Amino acid sequence: MPSLTRSEARERSALLQVTRMEVDLDLDQGEERFGSSTRITFSCNEPGASTFVDVKPAELRSMVLNGQSVDVTTLTDGRVALSGLAADNVLEVEAQMSYSRDGQGLHRAVDPADGEHYVYGHLFLDAGPRVFACFDQPDLKAPYAVTVAAPEAWTVLGNGAATKVAPGRWELAETKPLATYFVTVCAGPYASVLDEHDGIPLGIHARASLREALERGAPQMLEVTRASFDYYHQLFGIRYPFGEYHQVFVPEFNAGAMENPGCVTFRDVYVFRGAAARDEILTRSNTIAHEMAHMWFGDLVTMQWWDDLWLNESFAEYMSHRTLDAATEFGTEAWVDSTMARKAWGYAAERTPSTHPVAGSAALDAQSALQDFDGISYAKGAATLRQLIAHIGDDAFIAGVSAYLREHSFGNGTLADFMGFMERASGKDLGAWTQAWLLTAGVDVISLDRAAGAVDRTVPEAFPADRPHTFDVAGFSAGAETFRVPVTTSGDRTVVPELAAAPAADLVVPNAGDLTWATVTLDPDSIAAVPEQLALVPDPQARAVVWVSLIDGVCLGTVDPRVMVRTVGAAWPHEDNASILNRSAGSLLGRIIPTFLPHEEQGEAEQVVAAAAASVLAAAEPGSTRALVAARAVARTSADEELLRAWAAGERRPVGLEGDSDFGWIVVRNLASHGLAGRELIEATRERDDTLQGRLSALMAGASMPDTEAKAWAWGEITTNRERSNYELNALAQGFWSSGELDVLRPYAARYFSDVPAMSAWVGDDALARVAQLGFPSRVVEEATDDMARAALQRTDLTPAVRRGIVDARSELGEALRSRATFG
């Protein structure tokens, strides 16, 4: 179906104002379909004009405009034309809709742990018409009055406070004006923990089978929720405007979370059923703070069109880390985690041909805009805001933000609107700054000339811009910080007298505090010192910057991947920051080893990780985060079959992991991927853990078996089984490429380019984007794979998600090919 274009949205918003949405959903009609009745009240600025309404039903039963029937057979590509509009209009639509299995629209999932069914709405980015008829664009906001029929045993939640008015019948309080993509309904036999803070009713909800885990984790989640509310209220001077605040952890969710006002939805893997490392709890806390920030940035004030999505995501990304630092137990750990998890993601996006500016991206239609929800819009945007604060001061920034939110409350905003408030608050002309930082793509490279005491800035040739950078440079020797010098660049070379006068240091780190957005290139002496010196650096933020610099260097072809292997072997056993421990090992095992190193070196490199992890596990406090991260790394990499089989059987496991099913699956996948476990072990493990997560883990383990028969089965399940959910497809694709000899995998490289694009016939673009990424033949690091990718991109029938997936994956493949050509 065609996607709404920006020009169409502009024409429709100039013509219409939607004054009220009434939606009635009947979720008690079985497992395949639900009833949807919609009454739209709207006005028209040009009586007699025509427009169209968006609706994507299984069956469109009736449509009545101002008492006159509209021919439902005119439904074409999810649109019905409306002609002869009056000044004031009422449109009534009756439809049957289909539940989804791809995480878009109204998704229905079954929990195998107890056979219970769960429904949730995810209407982002343009899935609203799959649930109810609407004018589906972000600048036609309206209040929603929603009623729901559901099985008697179900709980119903939504944007407005839910009241059970009769058996199986619920009414949701009418909302403030919302964009269509924020509307949600969650229904099922959810387990709940309720609370209240500062007059705001709070609720945390998850599947009934997760009740024990939910209740165990709820106190910490509620603590972060309360702290975030207090911080945002104090910072913005505007109270949360959407009534109750529910956080619902739902199954098979495509995103990390979605900021539906009053009813935020999260992927339910955040309800930790087993042991959780500190950085995992930090990540969940960050997501809670991030989604709450959206109540102001995105929900109270919504972007006018998708080209300003940074007004949502960059701000929530920045505010969540700021909040965790200022208002929770995590403090500066939040910024270290940002470096390792978020900025590394953003720098990877900058290296691809699909890089784009933070703001002002073309976004000619809604589906194209979906491709820009990436590390640039999130991580780079947040880093850019830190540079804006360095440029104008925090007081001016907060004053401008508060004024912007007040002026545009319950409406929409643009880049020009926001920067106008920044200029008024700061008294500065920000035109040049905006052009360089927000409207120009690309990342600068920052390096040092130690002898000259100079900082060099290299601007990407394809995206020239004069971006000023404010950051610091720090030196470290023998476990001590020997100097730290503030720098503000001016031009391509900035001489800093304090640097020339600084004492000698074994390791010198530009941007040590990670205050700016730039590729950090370490000087040759520092690179040589990293494996032995990094563990001695006392500042975890500087260590994180060095790790990300190594990863960038490997991907850019300036650092031998073996340097990173040696650094993990030497420095990783001494690391005490959970985010650095988890993310550095994850990068090495997830990408560096399997793609940058020749196949014959990969096993030996994995054993370097296994040995380092075993040493950490032996020395760490039992049950601690260090012990947990190390145990998982051992389980993932160890070649000790006796140990792995004992752990798979639940024997001799480290403290705290005795009954941890997720840990057991890591072990089983290791055995399966090396041909040491067959279907029998996988099935026996699945029978002990017959849950949603257990079944996904079994699929991943089965797909990771290296033999020809297993690969043929897995590929067929991915590309031809239309009953597979979005999460099942991801699990199969992830397992498929995790093992196997090249002779077995190579034929599927060619099949990827024909089979995966064809899946757009039954998988939505939001879900297919992930499959296209995970399913790409990244392990087949050969020129032939690149040739096939280049040829595929000449096709005109690729959906935006598949095209973007191939473009980005081909770019990563090119990085691996270049590295192997350079370093062998």
Side-chain angles (χ1 to χ4, degrees), residues 577-628:
N577 180 275
S579 297
I580 297 175
L581 271 173
N582 235 342
R583 303 292 179 168
S584 58
S587 293
L588 187 65
L589 294 172
R591 182 161 184 232
I592 303 300
I593 290 176
T595 61
F596 285 88
L597 289 180
H599 189 74
E600 60 273 14
E601 292 185 36
Q602 293 174 11
E604 182 180 349
E606 284 194 354
Q607 293 318 298
V608 171
V609 180
S615 69
V616 172
L617 181 59
E621 178 183 350
S624 66
T625 282
R626 291 189 81 238
L628 172 59

Side-chain angles (χ1 to χ4, degrees), residues 441-460:
V443 57
D444 297 339
V445 176
I446 298 295
S447 59
L448 297 183
D449 183 336
R450 285 209 216 183
V455 174
D456 291 325
R457 182 198 66 179
T458 304
V459 176

Side-chain angles (χ1 to χ4, degrees), residues 11-157:
E11 291 175 4
R12 194 161 60 173
S13 64
L15 187 67
L16 308 181
Q17 293 84 43
V18 184
T19 52
R20 194 165 192 259
M21 294 285 296
E22 299 169 62
V23 177
D24 182 75
L25 302 176
D26 185 353
L27 310 184
D28 200 13
Q29 296 188 2
E31 300 179 15
E32 300 298 326
R33 291 186 177 184
F34 61 95
S36 173
S37 300
T38 311
R39 178 183 171 92
I40 308 174
T41 305
F42 65 101
S43 61
C44 175
N45 295 328
E46 300 176 17
S50 300
T51 188
F52 59 91
V53 66
D54 304 298
V55 60
K56 300 175 182 178
E59 178 187 354
L60 184 56
R61 292 186 168 175
S62 70
M63 183 175 291
V64 177
L65 174 64
N66 299 329
Q68 300 296 313
S69 179
V70 177
D71 184 359
V72 297
T73 65
T74 62
L75 172 67
T76 304
D77 292 333
R79 299 176 177 182
V80 176
L82 304 175
S83 59
L85 297 177
D88 297 299
N89 303 272
V90 174
L91 178 68
E92 297 170 295
V93 182
E94 295 284 340
Q96 286 281 294
M97 302 290 190
S98 297
Y99 290 112
S100 79
R101 292 288 284 140
D102 62 4
Q104 297 173 247
L106 206 58
H107 184 95
R108 188 173 183 129
V110 183
D111 187 348
D114 53 18
E116 296 287 1
H117 289 238
Y118 294 88
V119 168
Y120 65 86
H122 186 55
L123 275 54
F124 178 85
L125 176 141
D126 60 353
R130 293 172 61 171
V131 180
F132 50 81
C134 56
F135 300 112
D136 191 27
Q137 58 191 75
D139 60 347
L140 286 177
K141 301 171 78 171
Y144 278 76
V146 178
T147 52
V148 180
E152 170 62 19
W154 284 15
T155 295
V156 172
L157 301 158

Side-chain angles (χ1 to χ4, degrees), residues 655-676:
V655 171
L657 295 171
E658 294 86 353
D660 193 307
S661 297
D662 295 325
F663 178 76
W665 280 114
I666 297 173
V667 178
V668 171
R669 284 198 299 274
N670 185 355
L671 289 167
S673 67
H674 289 91
L676 301 174

Side-chain angles (χ1 to χ4, degrees), residues 708-787:
T708 302
E709 181 182 352
K711 296 305 181 188
W713 165 81
W715 194 256
E717 290 298 300
I718 295 168
T719 59
T720 65
N721 187 343
R722 298 192 177 201
E723 300 303 312
R724 290 295 184 191
S725 74
N726 51 339
Y727 269 38
E728 289 171 336
L729 294 173
N730 294 343
L732 288 160
Q734 190 170 347
F736 185 92
W737 293 107
S738 67
S739 67
E741 294 297 323
L742 286 176
D743 287 345
V744 174
L745 297 176
R746 194 174 284 113
Y748 293 98
R751 292 184 61 177
Y752 167 90
F753 296 103
S754 59
D755 296 354
V756 170
M759 293 171 64
S760 63
W762 69 92
V763 180
D765 242 27
D766 198 13
L768 190 55
R770 185 69 172 152
V771 178
Q773 175 193 16
L774 293 173
F776 189 87
S778 56
R779 288 280 304 279
V780 187
V781 184
E782 298 173 350
E783 293 291 347
T785 308
D786 183 65
D787 291 340

Side-chain angles (χ1 to χ4, degrees), residues 25 217 223 310 377-378 384 419 491 557 596 643 687 691 745 762 790 794:
L25 302 176
E223 179 182 354
W310 78 285
S377 297
Y378 286 72
T384 297
M419 294 310 298
F596 285 88
L643 174 68
E687 288 178 357
T691 63
L745 297 176
W762 69 92
R790 182 174 60 253
Q794 303 305 310

Side-chain angles (χ1 to χ4, degrees), residues 254-528:
N254 282 332
M258 179 63 201
E259 63 270 19
N260 313 303
C263 190
V264 179
T265 43
F266 298 79
R267 57 174 54 202
D268 63 8
V269 293
Y270 282 140
V271 180
F272 304 122
R273 60 182 194 152
R278 182 170 174 82
D279 70 297
E280 292 170 327
I281 297 172
L282 187 159
T283 296
R284 180 179 68 189
S285 300
N286 183 273
T287 306
I288 289 171
H290 177 110
E291 301 310 319
M292 189 184 293
H294 276 308
M295 298 302 120
W296 289 266
F297 293 99
D299 297 3
L300 179 64
V301 182
T302 306
M303 60 196 167
Q304 186 167 314
W305 180 246
W306 302 108
D307 54 347
D308 274 325
L309 66 91
W310 78 285
L311 287 169
N312 291 16
E313 299 304 342
S314 300
F315 282 89
E317 179 84 4
Y318 167 71
M319 286 296 174
S320 62
H321 289 92
R322 176 173 176 149
T323 300
L324 289 197
D325 182 12
T328 75
E329 63 172 301
F330 296 105
T332 56
E333 289 176 75
W335 292 114
V336 176
D337 188 72
S338 172
T339 301
M340 294 300 301
R342 310 297 287 181
K343 294 188 80 170
W345 170 45
Y347 290 141
E350 284 275 46
R351 293 194 299 268
T352 69
S354 57
T355 187
H356 56 86
V358 171
S361 182
L364 297 180
D365 60 55
Q367 281 301 317
S368 297
L370 179 63
Q371 310 316 310
D372 288 345
F373 280 77
D374 57 16
I376 294 171
S377 297
Y378 286 72
K380 182 180 182 179
T384 297
L385 290 176
R386 295 186 84 182
Q387 285 297 293
L388 177 61
I389 291 168
H391 189 63
I392 68 173
D394 192 60
D395 289 345
F397 175 73
I398 295 302
V401 163
S402 298
Y404 166 77
L405 293 173
R406 291 183 187 280
E407 179 70 22
H408 294 280
S409 287
F410 302 112
N412 299 85
T414 65
L415 167 66
D417 294 330
F418 179 80
M419 294 310 298
F421 281 100
M422 291 296 106
E423 289 187 334
R424 287 194 286 276
S426 66
K428 292 185 176 182
D429 183 341
L430 297 174
W433 188 95
T434 300
Q435 183 64 42
W437 273 109
L438 297 179
L439 297 177
T440 306
V443 57
D444 297 339
V445 176
I446 298 295
S447 59
L448 297 183
D449 183 336
R450 285 209 216 183
V455 174
D456 291 325
R457 182 198 66 179
T458 304
V459 176
E461 291 184 8
F463 307 105
D466 185 13
R467 282 178 282 262
H469 294 266
T470 298
F471 57 93
D472 55 3
V473 178
F476 303 93
S477 291
E481 182 176 308
T482 60
F483 68 85
R484 188 173 292 254
V485 175
V487 174
T488 297
T489 63
S490 176
D492 292 339
R493 167 161 282 215
T494 304
V495 176
V496 184
E498 295 87 346
L499 280 177
D506 295 323
L507 178 60
V508 179
V509 185
N511 196 30
D514 203 13
L515 299 176
T516 195
W517 181 263
T519 298
V520 170
T521 299
L522 300 177
D523 64 85
D525 290 343
S526 291
I527 288 284

